[in-house]
Amino acid sequence: PAAFFYRDAFLLASMLYRDLGPDTFDPCGGRLGEAEPKARKALELGLWPEGQLIPLAEGSGHVFVPAAGVLKPKRAVAQLLEGLPLLTGKVSGVSSTGDGHLLTLESGETIGPFSAVVFACGADPALLPDLPSNPSLGQLDIFAGAVPEHVITDGHYIAPLGDQLMSGATYTPYQAGEPVAPAGQRSAANREAADRLLSK
């Protein structure tokens, strides 16, 4: 069941993002490292549609996924929210009642209840202390230089972003109290990973 869920979620997302257009999603495909044995097993079991998971040279460890690509989240979010009513304000807290979830704004105003709340706040310490979560500092960086034709993953990932290279992500465990901000040491790790993946 888990394999079916992730397969369907990926293929649905890929179709949805393609429909948003080339300025939002670049369907350049992706090469997955260390995935060949799992891919061959998935194909034997008929878990993936034909042509959506392509093992490369026998023993290479790599698999090509034509439906993969690079999403520009800011553009995607704007397109997906177009025409929807929006409430704006900085949330300082979330609480639950029998009727749903309430959001407390910095102004002191409470709005809701809502049947569901999606957190897209990174490791924001103001919102996370009471939640069962393990935030990490998933930093990515954009570099000039050589650019791959498609996404390449193998531990880290690199992806084409126009004429620049995107590399990530670090996923350093978040320590309470530390600033949620880019760090030079994580940029160096992404640069090193990019150089390694470009050489494969």
Side-chain angles (χ1 to χ4, degrees):
F4 284 124
F5 171 81
Y6 287 112
R7 176 204 65 189
D8 291 348
F10 170 76
L11 294 174
L12 178 64
S14 175
M15 287 188 291
L16 172 69
Y17 297 148
R18 277 176 190 265
D19 287 346
L20 296 179
D23 289 338
T24 301
F25 181 68
D26 174 10
C28 58
R31 188 181 74 192
L32 308 181
E34 302 304 322
E36 182 196 356
K38 288 183 181 178
R40 291 191 184 281
K41 185 71 171 175
L43 291 169
E44 287 170 17
L45 296 172
L47 289 176
W48 280 73
E50 189 174 342
Q52 293 291 344
L53 203 60
I54 304 169
L56 299 178
E58 183 78 39
S60 71
H62 293 273
V63 174
F64 189 71
V65 183
V70 179
L71 178 71
K72 295 180 180 172
K74 189 173 181 179
R75 290 182 182 174
V77 169
Q79 286 178 268
L80 293 170
L81 292 179
E82 197 172 303
L84 294 177
L86 295 177
L87 301 172
T88 60
K90 185 163 183 178
V91 176
S92 60
V94 180
S95 57
S96 297
T97 70
D99 297 326
H101 308 286
L102 300 175
L103 306 181
T104 302
L105 304 183
E106 264 190 345
S107 63
E109 180 187 0
T110 300
I111 57 174
F114 301 101
S115 59
V117 176
V118 176
F119 288 86
C121 60
D124 187 334
L127 293 174
L128 294 178
D130 299 326
L131 295 174
S133 63
N134 295 303
S136 62
L137 301 172
Q139 180 173 316
L140 59 85
D141 287 276
I142 297 171
F143 301 109
V147 177
E149 291 181 30
H150 46 256
V151 179
I152 302 172
T153 72
D154 194 346
H156 280 73
Y157 69 87
I158 54 175
L161 193 63
D163 60 355
Q164 295 181 300
L165 167 75
M166 181 167 55
S167 177
T170 55
Y171 295 110
T172 309
Y174 171 69
Q175 304 297 323
E178 72 178 300
V180 181
Q185 143 185 7
R186 292 193 290 274
S187 292
N190 282 334
R191 177 78 262 183
E192 183 181 336
D195 290 342
R196 175 178 59 83
L197 291 173
L198 281 169
S199 69
K200 289 192 169 192

